[in-house]
Amino acid sequence: VAMAVEQSIALFVDSNSIGGLFERCVSDFLITGMGVAKAALETKTTQIPVVVANVITGQPEMVLDEQTGEPKTEEVILTQSVGVEHWPSKQFRWEPSANWEKVSWICYDHYLTKKEIKKQFSVDQLKDSRQGSEDVGGGSGDRELDKYSQTYLVHEIWDHKAGKRLWISSCHDDILE
């Protein structure tokens, strides 16, 4: 998978369709604190019935669940694409280290509504930990704070040592994904 992602990014860069995003990221790097580049793998999947060949006839048959009698399904990948996103530096954090190779985790902060959290993580119960005026904004006024008033801060943590991506938030007692 890693090689496929690397080759996809190389093709994306070679085809010059990445220019504007990288130019923005490079400019933001030069202007301290503006943003970083984030590679994004988008995968679309679907459920298909599990089919096996009948031992006697050789004809395909659906495998049924022993308890429910419903056809068993498996998830298959329909499409995958790799892209690059511009990510604000105020919403990007990493483990403090003098050497980037020794950083074991990084974190992207997302501001999601209750509806977005329910859809993405299938979570029904959320604690009220929405962002308040002391947590967001940079003194930009009430209009800037209003856009965050109905959102929850969700952390997307990439744990390099464990090779996992974790989603956590103070609005939920357990790991979201």
Side-chain angles (χ1 to χ4, degrees):
V1 173
M3 286 182 61
V5 171
E6 182 180 348
Q7 290 172 354
S8 297
I9 291 172
L11 176 66
F12 194 56
V13 170
D14 291 344
S15 68
N16 291 325
S17 53
I18 199 166
L21 284 168
F22 270 145
E23 287 173 16
R24 186 173 175 195
C25 293
V26 169
S27 295
D28 287 352
F29 178 75
L30 297 174
I31 303 169
T32 306
M34 292 299 291
V36 296
K38 178 185 179 192
L41 174 65
E42 185 176 323
T43 304
K44 292 185 182 178
T45 62
T46 189
Q47 295 287 332
I48 63 168
V50 177
V51 179
V52 295
N54 183 302
V55 177
I56 299 170
T57 65
Q59 296 296 315
E61 291 182 352
M62 286 195 288
V63 177
L64 301 178
D65 185 283
E66 294 174 6
Q67 295 177 346
T68 64
E70 297 288 321
K72 284 188 175 182
T73 61
E74 63 183 353
E75 189 173 34
V76 296
I77 296 172
L78 291 176
T79 62
Q80 283 187 319
S81 61
V82 177
V84 176
E85 298 175 8
H86 176 268
W87 203 262
S89 62
K90 286 185 179 183
Q91 292 175 248
F92 176 70
R93 293 180 278 146
W94 61 93
E95 176 185 32
S97 178
N99 187 340
W100 184 251
E101 285 77 28
K102 294 184 180 180
V103 171
S104 64
W105 63 266
I106 60 173
C107 175
Y108 297 97
D109 290 338
H110 300 261
Y111 292 96
L112 303 176
T113 64
K114 188 174 191 176
K115 185 177 180 180
E116 291 169 327
I117 292 172
K118 285 183 177 187
K119 182 180 178 186
Q120 186 171 345
F121 305 109
S122 303
V123 172
D124 291 325
Q125 297 295 323
L126 298 177
K127 295 189 295 185
D128 191 14
S129 65
R130 286 175 292 207
Q131 298 304 298
S133 58
E134 69 277 3
D135 294 331
V136 296
S140 303
D142 292 337
R143 202 170 347 133
E144 183 70 19
L145 293 176
D146 285 345
K147 74 179 183 182
Y148 292 106
S149 67
Q150 297 300 312
T151 63
Y152 297 85
L153 178 58
V154 178
H155 307 285
E156 174 188 0
I157 300 171
W158 292 66
D159 183 344
H160 297 290
K161 287 184 180 177
K164 293 183 178 180
R165 180 174 67 166
L166 307 170
W167 294 80
I168 62 171
S169 177
S170 59
C171 70
H172 190 64
D173 290 330
D174 204 1
I175 294 172
L176 292 168
E177 184 179 292

